[in-house]
Amino acid sequence: MSKRFAIIGAGMSGILAAIKLKQRGIEDFTIYEKASRLGGTWRDNTYPGLSCDVPSHVYAYSFELKGDWTRRFSPGAEIQRYFEGVAEKYGIERHIRYNSEITRAEHVDGRWRLRTSSRATDTVDFVIAATGVLHHPAMPDIPGLADFKGPKFHSARWGHAVPIHGKRVGIIGTGSTAIQIVPALADRVAKLSLFQRTAQWVLPLANPFYSAEEKAMFRESPERLQQSYDFWSQRFVDTFARAVIGNQDELQKIEDACRLNLEENVHDPELRWRLTPNYRAACKRLIMSDEFYPALQKPNVELVTEGIDRIEATGVRTKDGALHVLDVLVLATGFDGHAFLRPMEVLGEGGRTLAEAWSEANEAYRSVAVPGFPNFFMLVGPNSPIGNFSVIMISELQIDYILQLVDLVLEGRCRAVAPSAAAARRFNDALHEAMKGTVWVSGCRSWYLDRNGNPALWPWSFDRFRAEMQKPDLADFDLASAATTQV
Ligand code: N01
């Protein structure tokens, strides 16, 4: 009997999973997408200045490189168009069921019974959850937030109908998002107030346009495009990825480059001091921009480092008693990066819920599967190396690994596959031990850290990740017990 698949989410990794299934001749699958468009994070985020801080030549599927990106780090809208184009090319669209959020997935008689927000149901043999990491906006718990009378919105829900020109705009937060918004708004607004709780390390990164000649060269020469992909991937692996997992030389180089950037490009010593971080570079997600400091020093832009006391009808009141009067308030306050799969209700073997399995922490086996949840897989699940490399490279390795497990079932070697509890425990214990050497736990607050203070990242090298994702170690999986489930 042929097997049926459900993919949850039509973002980058869901589209990837669909392409990989089709390449294996599997057509019996549906992608459930809660929104009315594909694209995930690139659909949700449309704020001014949005671009990807991973070079475009790497931020693409390895089998669908694109030679005519406009810039080294391309704008979000261009990336969204790229995913739409790829989905069209591979015939993915007809598999997507839009406006269909999966609210419940229950393992019943060896299959997965799904229910959507509109109460539609489906029963499938395999679930591939491609629900993303940064898609639940985190609203700040600042007193009085509801009292603000002007328009206010989270950066991932940009209010494009709200006039910005000539207005007094406040931005709360100084993460990667806010740092991209500030230069994009500075020349358009009457006044921009940036509310900074924590100073950031900022690596100066130029974002040149590709010339017509360069684009033509990459379009016409797949070899040159491949070389560029290999170059940027290796550069990530050799520098940034090494630094964050404990290579002190690389970390020092990054810190020195950031410090020099601050010294050379921020002229007022008092402003420089307020922009100087008091923790190690890359402890939080490193900011990359050569536009942020110049924008911040424009006469109509102010950096507010006094803590926020409360929000009032007309603006933000800081702890020194000053009222910063605003017309528009932007909350660039990030996301809940630990809400994997939530609020979906997932019930595995014996009715045990994922919420119960994860009551202490989000723990998976190699980020892709959870004991007791047979034939249920995740892309970019807990402890994927998202802080280190392009998330597309990660997803490609994960889906190839997952499909090797799926093959065990398709080839009749077992009826279901799930990691053993012992293997998952070993993996997570090793993970926690290795985290001790990483910069993420060196003393800062960041979305990387879960409620126990453990980073939701990968503490080892990329080479190790790639090696471990090559082939599942079947000794770590419960195939025998899974084989007893009924299909
Ligand atoms: O969110 P963040 P983001 N009062 O969590 C502040 C990816 N991304 O949307 O540092 C005052 O980094 C908070 O302050 P603090 C990337 O992975 C990628 O900017 O906690 N301030 C912080 O400054 C990135 O890491 C690209 O003290 C409050 C900010 O809000 C991730 O998305 C582009 C507050 C949140 O920063 C998230 O970035 C953009 C409060 N109550 C984003 N609560 C690419 O280019 C929070 N803050 C690929």
Side-chain angles (χ1 to χ4, degrees), residues 241-269:
R242 284 211 182 126
V244 289
I245 58 168
N247 184 310
Q248 294 304 321
D249 288 346
E250 285 305 330
L251 191 57
Q252 196 56 50
K253 277 190 219 161
I254 290 174
E255 221 162 86
D256 291 346
C258 293
R259 201 168 275 125
L260 191 67
N261 183 32
L262 184 62
E263 278 164 17
E264 286 186 343
N265 295 308
V266 177
H267 311 301
D268 172 16

mmCIF file of all heavy atoms in Angstrom, residues 241-269:
data_model
loop_
_atom_site.group_PDB
_atom_site.id
_atom_site.type_symbol
_atom_site.label_atom_id
_atom_site.label_comp_id
_atom_site.label_asym_id
_atom_site.label_seq_id
_atom_site.Cartn_x
_atom_site.Cartn_y
_atom_site.Cartn_z
ATOM 1 N N ALA A 241 31.441 29.979 12.418
ATOM 2 C CA ALA A 241 31.004 28.720 13.046
ATOM 3 C C ALA A 241 32.036 28.227 14.056
ATOM 4 O O ALA A 241 31.687 27.660 15.088
ATOM 5 C CB ALA A 241 30.769 27.671 11.969
ATOM 6 N N ARG A 242 33.314 28.453 13.772
ATOM 7 C CA ARG A 242 34.351 28.032 14.731
ATOM 8 C C ARG A 242 34.332 28.914 15.966
ATOM 9 O O ARG A 242 34.535 28.454 17.085
ATOM 10 C CB ARG A 242 35.726 28.144 14.077
ATOM 11 C CG ARG A 242 35.973 27.028 13.114
ATOM 12 C CD ARG A 242 37.444 26.678 13.039
ATOM 13 N NE ARG A 242 37.574 25.618 12.056
ATOM 14 C CZ ARG A 242 38.374 25.676 11.023
ATOM 15 N NH1 ARG A 242 39.189 26.681 10.863
ATOM 16 N NH2 ARG A 242 38.396 24.691 10.165
ATOM 17 N N ALA A 243 34.139 30.216 15.727
ATOM 18 C CA ALA A 243 34.190 31.169 16.837
ATOM 19 C C ALA A 243 33.128 30.847 17.888
ATOM 20 O O ALA A 243 33.423 30.819 19.087
ATOM 21 C CB ALA A 243 34.000 32.585 16.315
ATOM 22 N N VAL A 244 31.899 30.595 17.442
ATOM 23 C CA VAL A 244 30.807 30.443 18.412
ATOM 24 C C VAL A 244 30.918 29.168 19.246
ATOM 25 O O VAL A 244 30.396 29.100 20.342
ATOM 26 C CB VAL A 244 29.419 30.521 17.742
ATOM 27 C CG1 VAL A 244 29.140 31.929 17.284
ATOM 28 C CG2 VAL A 244 29.262 29.536 16.606
ATOM 29 N N ILE A 245 31.611 28.167 18.726
ATOM 30 C CA ILE A 245 31.706 26.931 19.513
ATOM 31 C C ILE A 245 32.991 26.871 20.329
ATOM 32 O O ILE A 245 33.342 25.838 20.875
ATOM 33 C CB ILE A 245 31.558 25.668 18.638
ATOM 34 C CG1 ILE A 245 32.634 25.642 17.544
ATOM 35 C CG2 ILE A 245 30.154 25.556 18.077
ATOM 36 C CD1 ILE A 245 32.736 24.310 16.834
ATOM 37 N N GLY A 246 33.707 27.984 20.410
ATOM 38 C CA GLY A 246 34.810 28.015 21.359
ATOM 39 C C GLY A 246 36.187 28.314 20.807
ATOM 40 O O GLY A 246 37.152 28.330 21.568
ATOM 41 N N ASN A 247 36.332 28.571 19.500
ATOM 42 C CA ASN A 247 37.654 28.907 18.972
ATOM 43 C C ASN A 247 37.976 30.355 19.343
ATOM 44 O O ASN A 247 37.421 31.297 18.773
ATOM 45 C CB ASN A 247 37.696 28.705 17.449
ATOM 46 C CG ASN A 247 39.082 28.940 16.888
ATOM 47 O OD1 ASN A 247 39.718 29.948 17.170
ATOM 48 N ND2 ASN A 247 39.553 27.987 16.100
ATOM 49 N N GLN A 248 38.864 30.510 20.328
ATOM 50 C CA GLN A 248 39.107 31.843 20.886
ATOM 51 C C GLN A 248 39.763 32.782 19.879
ATOM 52 O O GLN A 248 39.503 33.982 19.876
ATOM 53 C CB GLN A 248 39.969 31.735 22.154
ATOM 54 C CG GLN A 248 39.279 31.016 23.297
ATOM 55 C CD GLN A 248 37.944 31.652 23.678
ATOM 56 O OE1 GLN A 248 37.795 32.870 23.694
ATOM 57 N NE2 GLN A 248 36.934 30.831 23.966
ATOM 58 N N ASP A 249 40.621 32.253 19.002
ATOM 59 C CA ASP A 249 41.286 33.114 18.016
ATOM 60 C C ASP A 249 40.263 33.739 17.071
ATOM 61 O O ASP A 249 40.291 34.935 16.799
ATOM 62 C CB ASP A 249 42.296 32.310 17.176
ATOM 63 C CG ASP A 249 43.504 31.946 18.019
ATOM 64 O OD1 ASP A 249 43.650 32.539 19.117
ATOM 65 O OD2 ASP A 249 44.281 31.065 17.592
ATOM 66 N N GLU A 250 39.357 32.893 16.576
ATOM 67 C CA GLU A 250 38.346 33.397 15.649
ATOM 68 C C GLU A 250 37.415 34.394 16.339
ATOM 69 O O GLU A 250 37.038 35.411 15.776
ATOM 70 C CB GLU A 250 37.522 32.246 15.047
ATOM 71 C CG GLU A 250 38.242 31.440 13.991
ATOM 72 C CD GLU A 250 38.781 32.274 12.833
ATOM 73 O OE1 GLU A 250 38.189 33.316 12.505
ATOM 74 O OE2 GLU A 250 39.818 31.889 12.270
ATOM 75 N N LEU A 251 37.074 34.072 17.593
ATOM 76 C CA LEU A 251 36.180 34.955 18.338
ATOM 77 C C LEU A 251 36.848 36.315 18.567
ATOM 78 O O LEU A 251 36.224 37.363 18.424
ATOM 79 C CB LEU A 251 35.805 34.299 19.674
ATOM 80 C CG LEU A 251 34.685 34.952 20.451
ATOM 81 C CD1 LEU A 251 33.419 35.025 19.620
ATOM 82 C CD2 LEU A 251 34.400 34.182 21.737
ATOM 83 N N GLN A 252 38.135 36.246 18.899
ATOM 84 C CA GLN A 252 38.873 37.494 19.135
ATOM 85 C C GLN A 252 38.906 38.350 17.869
ATOM 86 O O GLN A 252 38.743 39.567 17.919
ATOM 87 C CB GLN A 252 40.297 37.177 19.621
ATOM 88 C CG GLN A 252 41.008 38.374 20.251
ATOM 89 C CD GLN A 252 40.211 38.973 21.417
ATOM 90 O OE1 GLN A 252 39.787 38.259 22.319
ATOM 91 N NE2 GLN A 252 39.942 40.276 21.376
ATOM 92 N N LYS A 253 39.083 37.687 16.709
ATOM 93 C CA LYS A 253 39.126 38.430 15.439
ATOM 94 C C LYS A 253 37.793 39.144 15.196
ATOM 95 O O LYS A 253 37.757 40.294 14.771
ATOM 96 C CB LYS A 253 39.401 37.463 14.271
ATOM 97 C CG LYS A 253 40.867 37.139 14.085
ATOM 98 C CD LYS A 253 41.041 36.382 12.773
ATOM 99 C CE LYS A 253 42.065 35.297 12.938
ATOM 100 N NZ LYS A 253 42.023 34.252 11.943
ATOM 101 N N ILE A 254 36.710 38.441 15.487
ATOM 102 C CA ILE A 254 35.385 39.040 15.292
ATOM 103 C C ILE A 254 35.209 40.233 16.232
ATOM 104 O O ILE A 254 34.769 41.312 15.835
ATOM 105 C CB ILE A 254 34.277 37.983 15.518
ATOM 106 C CG1 ILE A 254 34.292 36.960 14.382
ATOM 107 C CG2 ILE A 254 32.908 38.623 15.639
ATOM 108 C CD1 ILE A 254 33.348 35.791 14.578
ATOM 109 N N GLU A 255 35.614 40.005 17.489
ATOM 110 C CA GLU A 255 35.457 41.066 18.482
ATOM 111 C C GLU A 255 36.293 42.286 18.099
ATOM 112 O O GLU A 255 35.830 43.426 18.188
ATOM 113 C CB GLU A 255 35.887 40.526 19.857
ATOM 114 C CG GLU A 255 34.987 40.976 20.964
ATOM 115 C CD GLU A 255 35.140 40.114 22.203
ATOM 116 O OE1 GLU A 255 36.038 40.391 23.020
ATOM 117 O OE2 GLU A 255 34.366 39.157 22.336
ATOM 118 N N ASP A 256 37.517 42.040 17.645
ATOM 119 C CA ASP A 256 38.407 43.152 17.246
ATOM 120 C C ASP A 256 37.796 43.930 16.079
ATOM 121 O O ASP A 256 37.839 45.154 16.053
ATOM 122 C CB ASP A 256 39.795 42.626 16.839
ATOM 123 C CG ASP A 256 40.557 42.086 18.037
ATOM 124 O OD1 ASP A 256 40.135 42.356 19.184
ATOM 125 O OD2 ASP A 256 41.571 41.384 17.832
ATOM 126 N N ALA A 257 37.241 43.193 15.112
ATOM 127 C CA ALA A 257 36.654 43.862 13.938
ATOM 128 C C ALA A 257 35.448 44.707 14.359
ATOM 129 O O ALA A 257 35.247 45.816 13.863
ATOM 130 C CB ALA A 257 36.246 42.828 12.898
ATOM 131 N N CYS A 258 34.658 44.194 15.310
ATOM 132 C CA CYS A 258 33.495 44.947 15.791
ATOM 133 C C CYS A 258 33.953 46.188 16.550
ATOM 134 O O CYS A 258 33.384 47.275 16.389
ATOM 135 C CB CYS A 258 32.636 44.094 16.711
ATOM 136 S SG CYS A 258 31.818 42.725 15.905
ATOM 137 N N ARG A 259 34.971 46.021 17.387
ATOM 138 C CA ARG A 259 35.450 47.144 18.198
ATOM 139 C C ARG A 259 35.991 48.255 17.301
ATOM 140 O O ARG A 259 35.717 49.431 17.497
ATOM 141 C CB ARG A 259 36.511 46.645 19.176
ATOM 142 C CG ARG A 259 36.683 47.578 20.343
ATOM 143 C CD ARG A 259 37.507 46.979 21.459
ATOM 144 N NE ARG A 259 36.746 46.163 22.381
ATOM 145 C CZ ARG A 259 37.016 44.903 22.695
ATOM 146 N NH1 ARG A 259 38.015 44.302 22.135
ATOM 147 N NH2 ARG A 259 36.279 44.259 23.563
ATOM 148 N N LEU A 260 36.750 47.837 16.276
ATOM 149 C CA LEU A 260 37.313 48.801 15.331
ATOM 150 C C LEU A 260 36.190 49.541 14.597
ATOM 151 O O LEU A 260 36.253 50.756 14.392
ATOM 152 C CB LEU A 260 38.211 48.053 14.333
ATOM 153 C CG LEU A 260 39.092 48.924 13.440
ATOM 154 C CD1 LEU A 260 40.138 49.641 14.279
ATOM 155 C CD2 LEU A 260 39.789 48.049 12.376
ATOM 156 N N ASN A 261 35.175 48.793 14.248
ATOM 157 C CA ASN A 261 34.011 49.380 13.576
ATOM 158 C C ASN A 261 33.394 50.482 14.442
ATOM 159 O O ASN A 261 33.101 51.582 13.974
ATOM 160 C CB ASN A 261 32.981 48.274 13.304
ATOM 161 C CG ASN A 261 31.757 48.764 12.554
ATOM 162 O OD1 ASN A 261 31.850 49.683 11.746
ATOM 163 N ND2 ASN A 261 30.618 48.154 12.810
ATOM 164 N N LEU A 262 33.268 50.175 15.725
ATOM 165 C CA LEU A 262 32.690 51.147 16.657
ATOM 166 C C LEU A 262 33.601 52.371 16.782
ATOM 167 O O LEU A 262 33.142 53.520 16.710
ATOM 168 C CB LEU A 262 32.487 50.463 18.012
ATOM 169 C CG LEU A 262 31.813 51.262 19.116
ATOM 170 C CD1 LEU A 262 30.398 51.649 18.727
ATOM 171 C CD2 LEU A 262 31.780 50.439 20.412
ATOM 172 N N GLU A 263 34.904 52.113 16.945
ATOM 173 C CA GLU A 263 35.839 53.230 17.147
ATOM 174 C C GLU A 263 35.925 54.130 15.914
ATOM 175 O O GLU A 263 35.969 55.344 16.021
ATOM 176 C CB GLU A 263 37.236 52.687 17.478
ATOM 177 C CG GLU A 263 37.352 52.317 18.947
ATOM 178 C CD GLU A 263 38.546 51.431 19.240
ATOM 179 O OE1 GLU A 263 39.458 51.363 18.395
ATOM 180 O OE2 GLU A 263 38.539 50.793 20.307
ATOM 181 N N GLU A 264 35.946 53.498 14.747
ATOM 182 C CA GLU A 264 36.147 54.289 13.525
ATOM 183 C C GLU A 264 34.879 54.973 13.048
ATOM 184 O O GLU A 264 34.946 56.010 12.390
ATOM 185 C CB GLU A 264 36.665 53.384 12.395
ATOM 186 C CG GLU A 264 38.114 53.001 12.610
ATOM 187 C CD GLU A 264 38.671 52.222 11.429
ATOM 188 O OE1 GLU A 264 37.877 51.720 10.618
ATOM 189 O OE2 GLU A 264 39.905 52.119 11.345
ATOM 190 N N ASN A 265 33.735 54.395 13.378
ATOM 191 C CA ASN A 265 32.515 54.891 12.754
ATOM 192 C C ASN A 265 31.523 55.570 13.687
ATOM 193 O O ASN A 265 30.486 56.054 13.234
ATOM 194 C CB ASN A 265 31.827 53.752 11.992
ATOM 195 C CG ASN A 265 32.705 53.287 10.844
ATOM 196 O OD1 ASN A 265 33.145 54.091 10.028
ATOM 197 N ND2 ASN A 265 33.011 52.002 10.801
ATOM 198 N N VAL A 266 31.815 55.570 14.978
ATOM 199 C CA VAL A 266 30.965 56.346 15.895
ATOM 200 C C VAL A 266 31.860 57.419 16.509
ATOM 201 O O VAL A 266 32.826 57.105 17.218
ATOM 202 C CB VAL A 266 30.331 55.437 16.977
ATOM 203 C CG1 VAL A 266 29.524 56.280 17.959
ATOM 204 C CG2 VAL A 266 29.433 54.389 16.322
ATOM 205 N N HIS A 267 31.544 58.665 16.225
ATOM 206 C CA HIS A 267 32.498 59.733 16.523
ATOM 207 C C HIS A 267 32.383 60.289 17.943
ATOM 208 O O HIS A 267 33.383 60.634 18.547
ATOM 209 C CB HIS A 267 32.339 60.849 15.477
ATOM 210 C CG HIS A 267 32.343 60.290 14.085
ATOM 211 N ND1 HIS A 267 33.422 59.567 13.589
ATOM 212 C CD2 HIS A 267 31.397 60.276 13.110
ATOM 213 C CE1 HIS A 267 33.140 59.154 12.362
ATOM 214 N NE2 HIS A 267 31.912 59.557 12.052
ATOM 215 N N ASP A 268 31.189 60.346 18.454
ATOM 216 C CA ASP A 268 30.990 60.920 19.789
ATOM 217 C C ASP A 268 31.350 59.865 20.855
ATOM 218 O O ASP A 268 30.747 58.791 20.900
ATOM 219 C CB ASP A 268 29.509 61.332 19.900
ATOM 220 C CG ASP A 268 29.150 61.759 21.311
ATOM 221 O OD1 ASP A 268 30.065 62.025 22.105
ATOM 222 O OD2 ASP A 268 27.940 61.809 21.617
ATOM 223 N N PRO A 269 32.340 60.185 21.728
ATOM 224 C CA PRO A 269 32.777 59.181 22.716
ATOM 225 C C PRO A 269 31.657 58.726 23.641
ATOM 226 O O PRO A 269 31.591 57.559 24.025
ATOM 227 C CB PRO A 269 33.867 59.904 23.517
ATOM 228 C CG PRO A 269 34.117 61.196 22.837
ATOM 229 C CD PRO A 269 33.062 61.443 21.819
#
